[in-house]
Amino acid sequence: MLKNILSRLIKKADEKPETNPVPAHYRYQINADECRGCDRCKKICKVGAISGERRKVYVIDEEKCIKCGTCMKWCKYKAIQRLDFV
Ligand code: SF4
Ligand code: SF4
């Protein structure tokens, strides 16, 4: 019984999604005029999509970003915005 459940779970985990699970209709962007280079967003991004040097403008790598929105919530200078494609 347990073996069957585990085998089904493993099979499901191996299946490739038919479509990219990351939404394509929006993205996150750091506003160069507002970013203070505090490093907060870089530390909080769990996929390492944000790079930059302290006190300079940080950038989001769109290829790595999974669009979770966490960085936007954590930026105390409101420098990160969500851009919707219409
Ligand atoms: S948290 Fe905000 S101000 Fe700080 S580096 Fe990131 S975008 Fe810039
Ligand atoms: S939206 Fe999420 S994955 Fe993308 S840069 Fe911000 S914290 Fe990282």
Side-chain angles (χ1 to χ4, degrees), residues 28 45 47 49-50 60 65-71:
Y28 289 92
C45 178
V47 295
I50 302 180
I60 295 175
C65 177
I66 57 167
K67 302 178 182 180
C68 66
T70 308
C71 55

Side-chain angles (χ1 to χ4, degrees), residues 3-62:
K3 200 175 168 186
N4 278 348
I5 293 170
L6 280 173
S7 140
R8 262 186 279 148
L9 284 173
I10 290 167
K11 194 174 166 210
K12 192 149 185 71
D14 285 343
E15 285 172 7
K16 298 254 184 303
E18 286 175 15
T19 55
N20 187 340
V22 179
H25 59 281
Y26 64 86
R27 67 187 173 93
Y28 289 92
Q29 182 180 300
I30 296 176
N31 183 342
D33 293 332
E34 305 294 333
C35 177
R36 311 275 182 93
C38 70
D39 207 51
R40 200 173 158 105
C41 57
K42 185 179 164 186
K43 282 184 186 150
I44 207 73
C45 178
K46 63 184 171 189
V47 295
I50 302 180
S51 59
E53 287 176 52
R54 278 191 172 273
R55 287 184 285 282
K56 290 186 180 174
V57 177
Y58 279 48
V59 291
I60 295 175
D61 182 339
E62 279 188 59

